[in-house]
Amino acid sequence: FMDRGMPEYGSPEYSEWFKNHAPAAYMQFLMAHPAYTTYKFLRDQGRAFEENMQPHFHANDLRFRSLLTMIGNYIHPKSGAVFFVTLISLLILWNQFMFQKNQDSLPWIWLMTLAFLSASGTMFFNIFGDSWALARHTLSSTITYRLLMWMLLVILIDFSMVREENKLHGNSLGKK
């Protein structure tokens, strides 16, 4: 950041520069180094998905807590792979419209794409803007990715079943 005009850390000019120029210099750095930005985004996503437990409520004495925790960990994977599964599922949904000409998929495409982009934008700003307590600050994004993963699975299964039913009855896709 010295190349971007940052004075020596601890100098009297540093505080003034930091207040006025640090955010823009940081964004310029991220844009000038897309490989680093992509690597950090994908690496830290894994850290964001590591925790499923709500740390603010103490329910250790509940009788079924361990069973419910185990079930929750299966339903909500603690892996950044959720991001990739959701992305791939979203691309398959886009394929339904673009290449298979399924007009019924269009409303789902826009809804799912908007939610995915919103979660990704929020995740990006949390990873690069506030990496302290990452799991807590990215909770809205990780919940959205997990929800989208399951919703897209159900939507794609539904489209597959409709396509098979239409094949049996000789109807073309997207027509009732």
Side-chain angles (χ1 to χ4, degrees):
F1 290 102
M2 297 280 202
D3 296 342
R4 300 188 192 307
M6 182 180 87
E8 187 69 35
Y9 179 75
S11 69
E13 301 87 24
Y14 177 79
S15 294
E16 187 66 29
W17 178 87
F18 190 86
K19 186 172 31 170
N20 295 324
H21 302 288
Y26 183 53
M27 288 306 292
Q28 289 171 354
F29 171 82
L30 293 176
M31 290 171 57
H33 299 89
Y36 166 78
T37 303
T38 303
Y39 168 76
K40 181 170 174 42
F41 181 73
L42 296 176
R43 182 197 69 195
D44 287 1
Q45 269 198 341
R47 287 187 28 229
F49 282 94
E50 286 177 352
E51 186 61 55
N52 280 343
M53 304 298 286
Q54 173 53 267
H56 305 294
F57 301 106
H58 302 286
N60 293 331
D61 298 334
L62 295 177
R63 197 165 105 198
F64 297 107
R65 179 173 173 78
S66 60
L67 174 64
L68 293 174
T69 300
M70 181 184 72
I71 292 169
N73 287 338
Y74 281 112
I75 294 173
H76 308 291
K78 294 185 192 181
S79 164
V82 171
F83 172 80
F84 292 109
V85 170
T86 304
L87 178 61
I88 290 167
S89 299
L90 187 58
L91 292 174
I92 292 169
L93 185 61
W94 272 93
N95 176 58
Q96 288 282 320
F97 176 72
M98 293 180 69
F99 300 109
Q100 297 180 26
K101 307 301 182 204
N102 183 351
Q103 297 294 319
D104 293 337
S105 64
L106 195 56
W108 288 116
I109 287 171
W110 292 115
L111 181 64
M112 298 293 118
T113 301
L114 179 63
F116 182 82
L117 292 175
S118 296
S120 298
T122 303
M123 179 76 79
F124 180 87
F125 286 113
N126 281 309
I127 287 173
F128 290 102
D130 185 12
S131 58
W132 191 261
L134 188 64
R136 181 168 50 97
H137 292 159
T138 59
L139 188 61
S140 66
S141 294
T142 58
I143 288 171
T144 302
Y145 286 137
R146 288 172 175 148
L147 180 62
L148 287 174
M149 179 181 71
W150 291 110
M151 287 177 69
L152 284 163
L153 178 66
V154 170
I155 291 165
L156 292 172
I157 288 171
D158 181 56
F159 283 140
S160 293
M161 292 173 68
V162 168
R163 184 176 59 239
E164 291 303 314
E165 184 178 329
N166 287 336
K167 281 182 188 177
L168 286 174
H169 299 292
N171 298 335
S172 62
L173 193 61
K175 295 182 181 173
K176 307 285 182 205

